[in-house]
Structure formats: C-alpha cells, structure tokens
Amino acid sequence: MSARADLDALAAAVTAGTTGFNANIDMLRRSVDPATARPAAVLILFGVLDDRPADFSADAVPDDLDVLLIERAATLNDHPGQVAFPGGSVDAADATVVDAALREAREETGLDPAGVRVLGALPPVGLPVSNFLVTPVLGWWDKPTPVDVVDYGESASVFRVPVADLLNPRNRRTAVFPRRKGAHRTPAFLVNGVLVWGFTGILLAGILDELGWTQPWDESREIVPDL
C-alpha cells in the first residue's frame, strides 16, 4: 500500500475500534482523569514536501512524505521550547475537537484549513504535566499552503520533517530525564537539529509503529533533554 493508503487504513481501524497502539500511548491514556482534565487537540498533518526530499530512504514511505511540526516558544509556561504538533486547548467556540485542531494549526502556522483532508480522530491521550486530555487529529495535506511562525510569543519555528528521516535508525534516541521515582524514558527523534521527545515523541513513535513504518533501532542510544 501507499503511505496515504496506510494512513486511511489507520483512521478506519480507529473508527472500527480495532487498533491497538503501544504501551507508551496506553500509559498516556490512563495518566489524567477525563472528568477534570482540560480538552485539547493536535493536528498530525502528513503531506508531500514541496522543496527537498528526505536524506534517508525508507522502504515503508516515499522520500517526499513529510509531517508538520512546531517548536514552542521558550517563554511559554507549558512545555517551553519543546517540539510539538500544532494544537492547543478546545475553545467554547469550537464545535468539535477537529475544529479546534484546525483552528490552532492555522493560528500557529498560517496554514489554510481548506487544504487539509481530515482522515479521523485518534483516541484521546493524557498530557499529565499540564492536565490536558488531547485528541490527535490525523490529516492529509491535499493542498499545502506556506507555513511559518505567526506569533513568536507562541512558536519559535515551524517546519516540515521528512518522515523517512524520522524513521532513520541513526536519528532515533531514547530520551531520559530524572524523576523522584526514577528516570523516565520516552522514544525520541533527533532531526533538523532539534529533539522530538516527551508527549510528542511518544505519540509520533506510537503512530509510526501502528502504521508498520518503524525500522529497527537501538533503544540503548540515550539522550538527556534540556529542561
């Protein structure tokens, strides 16, 4: 199947309730109380690169497949400086979590939501540090539009990453950061000179695993994020 067909199949499996995901994502699902957590949504937007292909070639995906990411501003209270999917809180004016994801993506990156085909919403996952219950919205960029930082108070950079480079075993890491009850480890990706880890790394790794795109990599290669 093509990468787009794989994404369609994942969305259909989620709708049918037949997808499993991995233990890290299951852990996130149980990490907040849905009754008290704040609703949020992120847009996981795949598309075709409009400039350069990936540096690495992966059998599972074409060289020009990419995903949209942002680097959060270092001045933010929640998750400063971290790489994330576009997204944020669900507002009262948002009719659905899908509307929230598209609105936030437009506000953060300047993309035109009219060019985005929504494939489906994945099961909500918890973000315990800020007590959010986040719905990941899976999308395909039918008509890509230019993206860039809209508000430097919110984002430091906006960029599109070739998925093949994320799959490159040389770019995979295990992020390790200390906690009072012992070190916590999450899947991580070192691309574009930035580290994708934590909530976004867990979610991205889980989706790539579920799609069957992940290549074997050395999980003993550890990195300590700057907190």
Side-chain angles (χ1 to χ4, degrees), residues 45-48 111-117 140-146 160:
L45 184 59
F46 291 92
V48 176
L111 68 76
D112 182 358
V116 175
R117 182 189 299 269
W140 180 263
W141 219 346
D142 275 341
K143 297 178 180 178
T145 49
R160 300 171 64 178

Side-chain angles (χ1 to χ4, degrees), residues 7 12 14 18 70 79 88 95 117 127 130 132 147 207:
L7 290 163
V14 169
T18 57
I70 66 170
H79 317 287
R117 182 189 299 269
L127 185 50
S130 46
F132 278 116
V147 290
I207 290 170

